[in-house]
Amino acid sequence: MATQTQAVSHHGDPEILGKANEGNATLIARPEALLKFEETQERNASRPHGLQAVPPRGGQNPGAGKRKGGFFNFLFCGGEDESVQWVKVELEEEDKASTETRERVAWNESLHLYVLSCIDHLAKYGENEARLFAVSGSQQVIEEMRMQYGELLPEGTDVHVACAVLKQAVRDAESPLIDIEALQAWAVATASKKKQPADADGEPLVIPSFKESLLYSTLQIVREKSPRRAFVLARLMYLLGDISSRIEITQMNSHNLSLCLAPSLLQWDPYADAALLVLGRMTAYVMELIDDGREHAEKLRDYCLELQNLASLPY
């Protein structure tokens, strides 16, 4: 059940929002959005399978086309101990009616090169930038750059715009960057996994090797379908692991980053049944991937080189 909390809107005005905890994710939205979702879930629970209702999408009611993209108007993330000030993550503004009819982009050479150019740009210019992936870029600029898939990211692009463009590119792809089979395999393994011995701070006493990690198994699943996509994912996780390792500068740990990126990497559907529960699991999954990228940075770099040095990487 959602509780209420006060925050400052993107216009600088006080605003009362609803707060709900789902797994490792803390979600905050306008109360009417959370209430609408809860009402829909209750109705679905009483209906036969196949007759589930979904919240109205953009364009089906007056004014819906100008709402912010995604089901939630706002998404916030806090520190691991919940003692730090809320960090606001504004979802990019989109015309939802046009989003629904937007054509998906094939994972071809153009899209791969475009996403990689975003990663290269962030690695080069975002090293000392705070709150990467948690600050909104100009939606107009993002939409203009969306029309340039296949070209390299312009040299002077703002790093926060580059983050938003990267998220938009993987959302636009015809299939998720991370195959859903990898998430399902993790969920099954987690359900049957025995609790590992840990120290007083909750840290595991024995850290698995890179080849025993969730990140490695995920990369192998993706690699079986597309070595080039696995290369993109490996490069991205190396970047995110580096960002989370320098939290004093970046102000972004693996939890913050996963909140910002999981919906794009796995193409979360905010209108699906149990959407909040699914998002919570996606967030926990991506958070573990980022933690692995940080813990096994050297091995992950070698893995990237291994893929890069292959004579030919099929799509």
Side-chain angles (χ1 to χ4, degrees), residues 119 122-129 132-133 234-254 257 289-298 300-301:
I119 295 172
L122 292 171
K124 184 176 181 180
Y125 298 108
E127 183 178 6
N128 296 315
E129 191 71 29
L132 287 175
F133 295 102
R235 286 286 313 281
L236 179 58
M237 287 302 152
Y238 184 83
L239 172 69
L240 298 178
D242 179 62
I243 292 173
S244 68
S245 71
R246 297 179 295 105
I247 189 172
E248 298 82 2
I249 298 173
T250 65
Q251 300 177 27
M252 296 293 286
N253 59 22
S254 58
L257 289 167
L289 293 180
I290 296 171
D291 286 336
D292 286 344
R294 183 183 65 252
E295 294 291 341
H296 303 289
E298 186 175 343
L300 180 56
R301 184 175 62 247

mmCIF file of all heavy atoms in Angstrom, residues 119 122-129 132-133 234-254 257 289-298 300-301:
data_model
loop_
_atom_site.group_PDB
_atom_site.id
_atom_site.type_symbol
_atom_site.label_atom_id
_atom_site.label_comp_id
_atom_site.label_asym_id
_atom_site.label_seq_id
_atom_site.Cartn_x
_atom_site.Cartn_y
_atom_site.Cartn_z
ATOM 1 N N ILE A 119 28.455 5.115 -25.009
ATOM 2 C CA ILE A 119 29.267 4.558 -23.917
ATOM 3 C C ILE A 119 30.662 5.175 -23.939
ATOM 4 O O ILE A 119 31.205 5.582 -22.904
ATOM 5 C CB ILE A 119 29.331 3.028 -24.031
ATOM 6 C CG1 ILE A 119 27.940 2.422 -23.821
ATOM 7 C CG2 ILE A 119 30.322 2.446 -23.019
ATOM 8 C CD1 ILE A 119 27.855 0.932 -24.102
ATOM 9 N N LEU A 122 30.562 8.774 -22.640
ATOM 10 C CA LEU A 122 30.417 8.865 -21.185
ATOM 11 C C LEU A 122 31.708 8.461 -20.476
ATOM 12 O O LEU A 122 32.070 9.052 -19.453
ATOM 13 C CB LEU A 122 29.256 7.984 -20.726
ATOM 14 C CG LEU A 122 27.868 8.456 -21.170
ATOM 15 C CD1 LEU A 122 26.814 7.411 -20.853
ATOM 16 C CD2 LEU A 122 27.520 9.777 -20.505
ATOM 17 N N ALA A 123 32.400 7.467 -21.015
ATOM 18 C CA ALA A 123 33.667 7.060 -20.415
ATOM 19 C C ALA A 123 34.719 8.162 -20.540
ATOM 20 O O ALA A 123 35.558 8.340 -19.653
ATOM 21 C CB ALA A 123 34.167 5.780 -21.080
ATOM 22 N N LYS A 124 34.636 8.931 -21.626
ATOM 23 C CA LYS A 124 35.625 9.973 -21.884
ATOM 24 C C LYS A 124 35.321 11.274 -21.141
ATOM 25 O O LYS A 124 36.229 11.909 -20.572
ATOM 26 C CB LYS A 124 35.695 10.242 -23.392
ATOM 27 C CG LYS A 124 36.760 11.252 -23.799
ATOM 28 C CD LYS A 124 36.816 11.384 -25.325
ATOM 29 C CE LYS A 124 37.895 12.381 -25.754
ATOM 30 N NZ LYS A 124 37.938 12.514 -27.245
ATOM 31 N N TYR A 125 34.044 11.668 -21.112
ATOM 32 C CA TYR A 125 33.695 12.985 -20.588
ATOM 33 C C TYR A 125 32.904 12.946 -19.273
ATOM 34 O O TYR A 125 32.701 13.997 -18.654
ATOM 35 C CB TYR A 125 32.874 13.765 -21.621
ATOM 36 C CG TYR A 125 33.620 14.031 -22.905
ATOM 37 C CD1 TYR A 125 33.279 13.355 -24.070
ATOM 38 C CD2 TYR A 125 34.676 14.939 -22.944
ATOM 39 C CE1 TYR A 125 33.956 13.594 -25.259
ATOM 40 C CE2 TYR A 125 35.363 15.181 -24.126
ATOM 41 C CZ TYR A 125 35.004 14.499 -25.277
ATOM 42 O OH TYR A 125 35.683 14.729 -26.450
ATOM 43 N N GLY A 126 32.438 11.778 -18.863
ATOM 44 C CA GLY A 126 31.593 11.719 -17.672
ATOM 45 C C GLY A 126 32.284 11.227 -16.423
ATOM 46 O O GLY A 126 31.623 10.971 -15.409
ATOM 47 N N GLU A 127 33.596 11.108 -16.468
ATOM 48 C CA GLU A 127 34.339 10.501 -15.352
ATOM 49 C C GLU A 127 34.101 11.221 -14.034
ATOM 50 O O GLU A 127 33.964 10.589 -12.984
ATOM 51 C CB GLU A 127 35.835 10.488 -15.678
ATOM 52 C CG GLU A 127 36.683 9.822 -14.611
ATOM 53 C CD GLU A 127 38.153 9.770 -14.986
ATOM 54 O OE1 GLU A 127 38.529 10.354 -16.022
ATOM 55 O OE2 GLU A 127 38.914 9.127 -14.239
ATOM 56 N N ASN A 128 34.048 12.543 -14.054
ATOM 57 C CA ASN A 128 33.899 13.317 -12.821
ATOM 58 C C ASN A 128 32.531 13.980 -12.708
ATOM 59 O O ASN A 128 32.365 14.945 -11.965
ATOM 60 C CB ASN A 128 35.000 14.381 -12.738
ATOM 61 C CG ASN A 128 36.383 13.771 -12.652
ATOM 62 O OD1 ASN A 128 36.608 12.827 -11.896
ATOM 63 N ND2 ASN A 128 37.318 14.299 -13.439
ATOM 64 N N GLU A 129 31.550 13.454 -13.440
ATOM 65 C CA GLU A 129 30.210 14.030 -13.443
ATOM 66 C C GLU A 129 29.336 13.335 -12.406
ATOM 67 O O GLU A 129 29.366 12.114 -12.267
ATOM 68 C CB GLU A 129 29.575 13.878 -14.820
ATOM 69 C CG GLU A 129 28.300 14.664 -15.005
ATOM 70 C CD GLU A 129 28.537 16.163 -15.090
ATOM 71 O OE1 GLU A 129 29.628 16.579 -15.546
ATOM 72 O OE2 GLU A 129 27.631 16.921 -14.701
ATOM 73 N N LEU A 132 25.050 10.723 -13.120
ATOM 74 C CA LEU A 132 24.835 10.244 -14.484
ATOM 75 C C LEU A 132 23.637 9.298 -14.507
ATOM 76 O O LEU A 132 23.466 8.469 -13.623
ATOM 77 C CB LEU A 132 26.082 9.526 -15.004
ATOM 78 C CG LEU A 132 27.280 10.405 -15.355
ATOM 79 C CD1 LEU A 132 28.477 9.539 -15.733
ATOM 80 C CD2 LEU A 132 26.948 11.364 -16.490
ATOM 81 N N PHE A 133 22.813 9.407 -15.528
ATOM 82 C CA PHE A 133 21.595 8.641 -15.754
ATOM 83 C C PHE A 133 20.448 9.064 -14.830
ATOM 84 O O PHE A 133 19.343 8.558 -14.964
ATOM 85 C CB PHE A 133 21.831 7.125 -15.613
ATOM 86 C CG PHE A 133 22.743 6.568 -16.655
ATOM 87 C CD1 PHE A 133 24.066 6.279 -16.354
ATOM 88 C CD2 PHE A 133 22.296 6.340 -17.946
ATOM 89 C CE1 PHE A 133 24.918 5.770 -17.317
ATOM 90 C CE2 PHE A 133 23.140 5.835 -18.915
ATOM 91 C CZ PHE A 133 24.461 5.551 -18.600
ATOM 92 N N ALA A 234 28.517 -5.871 -22.233
ATOM 93 C CA ALA A 234 29.737 -5.951 -21.429
ATOM 94 C C ALA A 234 30.371 -4.568 -21.270
ATOM 95 O O ALA A 234 30.810 -4.188 -20.178
ATOM 96 C CB ALA A 234 30.722 -6.924 -22.072
ATOM 97 N N ARG A 235 30.427 -3.805 -22.365
ATOM 98 C CA ARG A 235 30.992 -2.456 -22.297
ATOM 99 C C ARG A 235 30.174 -1.564 -21.358
ATOM 100 O O ARG A 235 30.719 -0.766 -20.588
ATOM 101 C CB ARG A 235 31.027 -1.841 -23.694
ATOM 102 C CG ARG A 235 32.103 -2.389 -24.631
ATOM 103 C CD ARG A 235 33.489 -1.881 -24.245
ATOM 104 N NE ARG A 235 33.493 -0.451 -23.998
ATOM 105 C CZ ARG A 235 33.515 0.492 -24.948
ATOM 106 N NH1 ARG A 235 33.547 0.141 -26.228
ATOM 107 N NH2 ARG A 235 33.528 1.776 -24.619
ATOM 108 N N LEU A 236 28.853 -1.685 -21.427
ATOM 109 C CA LEU A 236 27.988 -0.867 -20.587
ATOM 110 C C LEU A 236 28.171 -1.226 -19.114
ATOM 111 O O LEU A 236 28.253 -0.335 -18.257
ATOM 112 C CB LEU A 236 26.524 -1.045 -21.003
ATOM 113 C CG LEU A 236 25.491 -0.263 -20.178
ATOM 114 C CD1 LEU A 236 25.768 1.234 -20.220
ATOM 115 C CD2 LEU A 236 24.080 -0.566 -20.667
ATOM 116 N N MET A 237 28.236 -2.521 -18.800
ATOM 117 C CA MET A 237 28.397 -2.935 -17.414
ATOM 118 C C MET A 237 29.764 -2.544 -16.863
ATOM 119 O O MET A 237 29.903 -2.255 -15.670
ATOM 120 C CB MET A 237 28.181 -4.444 -17.289
ATOM 121 C CG MET A 237 26.732 -4.848 -17.433
ATOM 122 S SD MET A 237 25.684 -4.029 -16.194
ATOM 123 C CE MET A 237 24.111 -3.966 -17.045
ATOM 124 N N TYR A 238 30.762 -2.502 -17.717
ATOM 125 C CA TYR A 238 32.083 -2.026 -17.284
ATOM 126 C C TYR A 238 31.997 -0.545 -16.897
ATOM 127 O O TYR A 238 32.545 -0.117 -15.874
ATOM 128 C CB TYR A 238 33.106 -2.235 -18.399
ATOM 129 C CG TYR A 238 34.519 -1.865 -18.004
ATOM 130 C CD1 TYR A 238 35.324 -2.762 -17.304
ATOM 131 C CD2 TYR A 238 35.044 -0.613 -18.319
ATOM 132 C CE1 TYR A 238 36.624 -2.419 -16.927
ATOM 133 C CE2 TYR A 238 36.335 -0.262 -17.944
ATOM 134 C CZ TYR A 238 37.117 -1.171 -17.259
ATOM 135 O OH TYR A 238 38.398 -0.829 -16.875
ATOM 136 N N LEU A 239 31.280 0.229 -17.719
ATOM 137 C CA LEU A 239 31.090 1.651 -17.429
ATOM 138 C C LEU A 239 30.312 1.847 -16.134
ATOM 139 O O LEU A 239 30.705 2.646 -15.264
ATOM 140 C CB LEU A 239 30.349 2.324 -18.584
ATOM 141 C CG LEU A 239 29.902 3.776 -18.354
ATOM 142 C CD1 LEU A 239 31.107 4.712 -18.285
ATOM 143 C CD2 LEU A 239 28.936 4.223 -19.455
ATOM 144 N N LEU A 240 29.209 1.108 -15.959
ATOM 145 C CA LEU A 240 28.374 1.272 -14.777
ATOM 146 C C LEU A 240 29.097 0.814 -13.508
ATOM 147 O O LEU A 240 28.936 1.415 -12.439
ATOM 148 C CB LEU A 240 27.066 0.497 -14.946
ATOM 149 C CG LEU A 240 26.170 0.939 -16.109
ATOM 150 C CD1 LEU A 240 24.928 0.066 -16.188
ATOM 151 C CD2 LEU A 240 25.789 2.404 -15.980
ATOM 152 N N GLY A 241 29.892 -0.244 -13.635
ATOM 153 C CA GLY A 241 30.675 -0.693 -12.493
ATOM 154 C C GLY A 241 31.670 0.364 -12.064
ATOM 155 O O GLY A 241 31.882 0.597 -10.865
ATOM 156 N N ASP A 242 32.267 1.042 -13.037
ATOM 157 C CA ASP A 242 33.214 2.108 -12.730
ATOM 158 C C ASP A 242 32.514 3.294 -12.069
ATOM 159 O O ASP A 242 33.022 3.872 -11.101
ATOM 160 C CB ASP A 242 33.907 2.561 -14.019
ATOM 161 C CG ASP A 242 34.904 3.692 -13.773
ATOM 162 O OD1 ASP A 242 35.881 3.470 -13.036
ATOM 163 O OD2 ASP A 242 34.691 4.791 -14.306
ATOM 164 N N ILE A 243 31.341 3.650 -12.569
ATOM 165 C CA ILE A 243 30.583 4.756 -11.977
ATOM 166 C C ILE A 243 30.240 4.445 -10.518
ATOM 167 O O ILE A 243 30.408 5.281 -9.631
ATOM 168 C CB ILE A 243 29.298 5.022 -12.787
ATOM 169 C CG1 ILE A 243 29.635 5.582 -14.170
ATOM 170 C CG2 ILE A 243 28.378 5.991 -12.038
ATOM 171 C CD1 ILE A 243 28.438 5.707 -15.096
ATOM 172 N N SER A 244 29.776 3.218 -10.259
ATOM 173 C CA SER A 244 29.371 2.862 -8.897
ATOM 174 C C SER A 244 30.560 2.724 -7.953
ATOM 175 O O SER A 244 30.402 2.837 -6.735
ATOM 176 C CB SER A 244 28.572 1.548 -8.905
ATOM 177 O OG SER A 244 29.390 0.447 -9.265
ATOM 178 N N SER A 245 31.758 2.502 -8.487
ATOM 179 C CA SER A 245 32.945 2.359 -7.640
ATOM 180 C C SER A 245 33.458 3.706 -7.144
ATOM 181 O O SER A 245 34.268 3.758 -6.220
ATOM 182 C CB SER A 245 34.062 1.637 -8.406
ATOM 183 O OG SER A 245 34.604 2.470 -9.430
ATOM 184 N N ARG A 246 32.981 4.791 -7.752
ATOM 185 C CA ARG A 246 33.438 6.142 -7.385
ATOM 186 C C ARG A 246 32.261 6.973 -6.898
ATOM 187 O O ARG A 246 32.039 8.094 -7.326
ATOM 188 C CB ARG A 246 34.130 6.803 -8.578
ATOM 189 C CG ARG A 246 35.395 6.087 -9.026
ATOM 190 C CD ARG A 246 36.062 6.725 -10.233
ATOM 191 N NE ARG A 246 35.226 6.643 -11.420
ATOM 192 C CZ ARG A 246 34.558 7.648 -11.943
ATOM 193 N NH1 ARG A 246 34.605 8.835 -11.374
ATOM 194 N NH2 ARG A 246 33.833 7.497 -13.026
ATOM 195 N N ILE A 247 31.510 6.385 -5.964
ATOM 196 C CA ILE A 247 30.263 7.009 -5.510
ATOM 197 C C ILE A 247 30.489 8.366 -4.856
ATOM 198 O O ILE A 247 29.616 9.235 -4.888
ATOM 199 C CB ILE A 247 29.515 6.056 -4.553
ATOM 200 C CG1 ILE A 247 28.117 6.607 -4.249
ATOM 201 C CG2 ILE A 247 30.318 5.814 -3.279
ATOM 202 C CD1 ILE A 247 27.242 5.645 -3.481
ATOM 203 N N GLU A 248 31.670 8.588 -4.259
ATOM 204 C CA GLU A 248 31.940 9.893 -3.643
ATOM 205 C C GLU A 248 31.860 11.016 -4.671
ATOM 206 O O GLU A 248 31.475 12.146 -4.354
ATOM 207 C CB GLU A 248 33.325 9.908 -2.982
ATOM 208 C CG GLU A 248 33.501 8.917 -1.844
ATOM 209 C CD GLU A 248 33.835 7.524 -2.342
ATOM 210 O OE1 GLU A 248 33.972 7.352 -3.585
ATOM 211 O OE2 GLU A 248 33.952 6.611 -1.514
ATOM 212 N N ILE A 249 32.227 10.700 -5.910
ATOM 213 C CA ILE A 249 32.196 11.697 -6.988
ATOM 214 C C ILE A 249 30.891 11.613 -7.771
ATOM 215 O O ILE A 249 30.237 12.618 -8.024
ATOM 216 C CB ILE A 249 33.390 11.494 -7.952
ATOM 217 C CG1 ILE A 249 34.705 11.697 -7.199
ATOM 218 C CG2 ILE A 249 33.296 12.434 -9.145
ATOM 219 C CD1 ILE A 249 35.932 11.347 -8.015
ATOM 220 N N THR A 250 30.509 10.399 -8.144
ATOM 221 C CA THR A 250 29.368 10.216 -9.039
ATOM 222 C C THR A 250 28.019 10.308 -8.330
ATOM 223 O O THR A 250 26.999 10.568 -8.968
ATOM 224 C CB THR A 250 29.451 8.851 -9.734
ATOM 225 O OG1 THR A 250 29.328 7.802 -8.744
ATOM 226 C CG2 THR A 250 30.767 8.689 -10.477
ATOM 227 N N GLN A 251 27.994 10.058 -7.015
ATOM 228 C CA GLN A 251 26.761 10.050 -6.228
ATOM 229 C C GLN A 251 25.760 9.009 -6.739
ATOM 230 O O GLN A 251 24.544 9.155 -6.557
ATOM 231 C CB GLN A 251 26.114 11.443 -6.215
ATOM 232 C CG GLN A 251 26.985 12.524 -5.618
ATOM 233 C CD GLN A 251 26.342 13.896 -5.677
ATOM 234 O OE1 GLN A 251 25.122 14.018 -5.693
ATOM 235 N NE2 GLN A 251 27.164 14.935 -5.726
ATOM 236 N N MET A 252 26.276 7.981 -7.379
ATOM 237 C CA MET A 252 25.414 6.926 -7.920
ATOM 238 C C MET A 252 25.987 5.562 -7.552
ATOM 239 O O MET A 252 27.066 5.189 -8.021
ATOM 240 C CB MET A 252 25.298 7.051 -9.443
ATOM 241 C CG MET A 252 24.637 8.323 -9.931
ATOM 242 S SD MET A 252 22.880 8.444 -9.503
ATOM 243 C CE MET A 252 22.170 7.269 -10.660
ATOM 244 N N ASN A 253 25.272 4.810 -6.700
ATOM 245 C CA ASN A 253 25.679 3.438 -6.428
ATOM 246 C C ASN A 253 24.924 2.496 -7.361
ATOM 247 O O ASN A 253 24.149 2.936 -8.219
ATOM 248 C CB ASN A 253 25.449 3.091 -4.948
ATOM 249 C CG ASN A 253 23.998 3.248 -4.521
ATOM 250 O OD1 ASN A 253 23.088 3.227 -5.338
ATOM 251 N ND2 ASN A 253 23.783 3.422 -3.224
ATOM 252 N N SER A 254 25.133 1.196 -7.199
ATOM 253 C CA SER A 254 24.510 0.241 -8.114
ATOM 254 C C SER A 254 22.984 0.258 -8.001
ATOM 255 O O SER A 254 22.276 0.027 -8.984
ATOM 256 C CB SER A 254 25.037 -1.174 -7.851
ATOM 257 O OG SER A 254 24.795 -1.571 -6.510
ATOM 258 N N LEU A 257 21.759 3.353 -9.983
ATOM 259 C CA LEU A 257 21.914 3.122 -11.426
ATOM 260 C C LEU A 257 20.891 2.117 -11.947
ATOM 261 O O LEU A 257 20.341 2.289 -13.040
ATOM 262 C CB LEU A 257 23.333 2.626 -11.721
ATOM 263 C CG LEU A 257 24.446 3.671 -11.560
ATOM 264 C CD1 LEU A 257 25.814 3.002 -11.555
ATOM 265 C CD2 LEU A 257 24.378 4.714 -12.668
ATOM 266 N N LEU A 289 24.087 -7.238 -11.498
ATOM 267 C CA LEU A 289 24.962 -7.182 -12.670
ATOM 268 C C LEU A 289 26.003 -6.069 -12.518
ATOM 269 O O LEU A 289 27.185 -6.258 -12.809
ATOM 270 C CB LEU A 289 24.143 -6.935 -13.937
ATOM 271 C CG LEU A 289 23.190 -8.030 -14.413
ATOM 272 C CD1 LEU A 289 22.479 -7.581 -15.691
ATOM 273 C CD2 LEU A 289 23.911 -9.345 -14.656
ATOM 274 N N ILE A 290 25.546 -4.906 -12.057
ATOM 275 C CA ILE A 290 26.458 -3.769 -11.894
ATOM 276 C C ILE A 290 27.482 -4.056 -10.800
ATOM 277 O O ILE A 290 28.665 -3.732 -10.940
ATOM 278 C CB ILE A 290 25.661 -2.489 -11.586
ATOM 279 C CG1 ILE A 290 24.753 -2.132 -12.768
ATOM 280 C CG2 ILE A 290 26.600 -1.321 -11.280
ATOM 281 C CD1 ILE A 290 23.772 -1.006 -12.483
ATOM 282 N N ASP A 291 27.030 -4.672 -9.699
ATOM 283 C CA ASP A 291 27.960 -5.049 -8.630
ATOM 284 C C ASP A 291 29.034 -6.004 -9.158
ATOM 285 O O ASP A 291 30.218 -5.879 -8.823
ATOM 286 C CB ASP A 291 27.204 -5.702 -7.475
ATOM 287 C CG ASP A 291 26.419 -4.701 -6.642
ATOM 288 O OD1 ASP A 291 26.786 -3.509 -6.654
ATOM 289 O OD2 ASP A 291 25.443 -5.108 -5.988
ATOM 290 N N ASP A 292 28.624 -6.958 -9.988
ATOM 291 C CA ASP A 292 29.591 -7.886 -10.589
ATOM 292 C C ASP A 292 30.566 -7.142 -11.490
ATOM 293 O O ASP A 292 31.763 -7.457 -11.515
ATOM 294 C CB ASP A 292 28.865 -8.967 -11.397
ATOM 295 C CG ASP A 292 28.181 -10.008 -10.523
ATOM 296 O OD1 ASP A 292 28.510 -10.081 -9.327
ATOM 297 O OD2 ASP A 292 27.319 -10.742 -11.046
ATOM 298 N N GLY A 293 30.056 -6.171 -12.239
ATOM 299 C CA GLY A 293 30.931 -5.389 -13.109
ATOM 300 C C GLY A 293 31.981 -4.626 -12.329
ATOM 301 O O GLY A 293 33.115 -4.453 -12.787
ATOM 302 N N ARG A 294 31.600 -4.166 -11.141
ATOM 303 C CA ARG A 294 32.553 -3.453 -10.282
ATOM 304 C C ARG A 294 33.557 -4.423 -9.649
ATOM 305 O O ARG A 294 34.756 -4.159 -9.623
ATOM 306 C CB ARG A 294 31.803 -2.698 -9.186
ATOM 307 C CG ARG A 294 32.698 -1.862 -8.283
ATOM 308 C CD ARG A 294 31.924 -1.182 -7.166
ATOM 309 N NE ARG A 294 31.348 -2.154 -6.231
ATOM 310 C CZ ARG A 294 30.050 -2.434 -6.149
ATOM 311 N NH1 ARG A 294 29.193 -1.810 -6.918
ATOM 312 N NH2 ARG A 294 29.611 -3.330 -5.287
ATOM 313 N N GLU A 295 33.070 -5.553 -9.143
ATOM 314 C CA GLU A 295 33.936 -6.514 -8.451
ATOM 315 C C GLU A 295 34.915 -7.194 -9.408
ATOM 316 O O GLU A 295 36.024 -7.567 -9.010
ATOM 317 C CB GLU A 295 33.089 -7.573 -7.751
ATOM 318 C CG GLU A 295 32.238 -7.052 -6.615
ATOM 319 C CD GLU A 295 33.065 -6.618 -5.416
ATOM 320 O OE1 GLU A 295 34.228 -7.051 -5.317
ATOM 321 O OE2 GLU A 295 32.546 -5.850 -4.591
ATOM 322 N N HIS A 296 34.513 -7.378 -10.659
ATOM 323 C CA HIS A 296 35.329 -8.135 -11.620
ATOM 324 C C HIS A 296 35.718 -7.264 -12.802
ATOM 325 O O HIS A 296 35.705 -7.717 -13.954
ATOM 326 C CB HIS A 296 34.563 -9.367 -12.106
ATOM 327 C CG HIS A 296 34.121 -10.282 -11.008
ATOM 328 N ND1 HIS A 296 34.998 -11.067 -10.280
ATOM 329 C CD2 HIS A 296 32.882 -10.523 -10.498
ATOM 330 C CE1 HIS A 296 34.327 -11.765 -9.379
ATOM 331 N NE2 HIS A 296 33.043 -11.455 -9.493
ATOM 332 N N ALA A 297 36.064 -6.007 -12.530
ATOM 333 C CA ALA A 297 36.359 -5.053 -13.597
ATOM 334 C C ALA A 297 37.458 -5.545 -14.529
ATOM 335 O O ALA A 297 37.347 -5.433 -15.757
ATOM 336 C CB ALA A 297 36.736 -3.700 -12.990
ATOM 337 N N GLU A 298 38.535 -6.087 -13.973
ATOM 338 C CA GLU A 298 39.664 -6.521 -14.811
ATOM 339 C C GLU A 298 39.266 -7.678 -15.717
ATOM 340 O O GLU A 298 39.575 -7.677 -16.917
ATOM 341 C CB GLU A 298 40.839 -6.923 -13.914
ATOM 342 C CG GLU A 298 42.102 -7.249 -14.695
ATOM 343 C CD GLU A 298 43.291 -7.532 -13.797
ATOM 344 O OE1 GLU A 298 43.241 -7.171 -12.602
ATOM 345 O OE2 GLU A 298 44.282 -8.116 -14.293
ATOM 346 N N LEU A 300 36.251 -8.439 -16.639
ATOM 347 C CA LEU A 300 35.242 -7.951 -17.577
ATOM 348 C C LEU A 300 35.911 -7.212 -18.732
ATOM 349 O O LEU A 300 35.476 -7.348 -19.889
ATOM 350 C CB LEU A 300 34.255 -7.038 -16.853
ATOM 351 C CG LEU A 300 33.126 -6.434 -17.700
ATOM 352 C CD1 LEU A 300 32.322 -7.519 -18.395
ATOM 353 C CD2 LEU A 300 32.213 -5.564 -16.825
ATOM 354 N N ARG A 301 36.964 -6.454 -18.446
ATOM 355 C CA ARG A 301 37.700 -5.772 -19.515
ATOM 356 C C ARG A 301 38.313 -6.797 -20.464
ATOM 357 O O ARG A 301 38.264 -6.626 -21.691
ATOM 358 C CB ARG A 301 38.788 -4.889 -18.914
ATOM 359 C CG ARG A 301 39.538 -4.065 -19.967
ATOM 360 C CD ARG A 301 40.526 -3.097 -19.362
ATOM 361 N NE ARG A 301 41.573 -3.789 -18.620
ATOM 362 C CZ ARG A 301 41.735 -3.724 -17.303
ATOM 363 N NH1 ARG A 301 40.911 -3.002 -16.572
ATOM 364 N NH2 ARG A 301 42.706 -4.372 -16.709
#
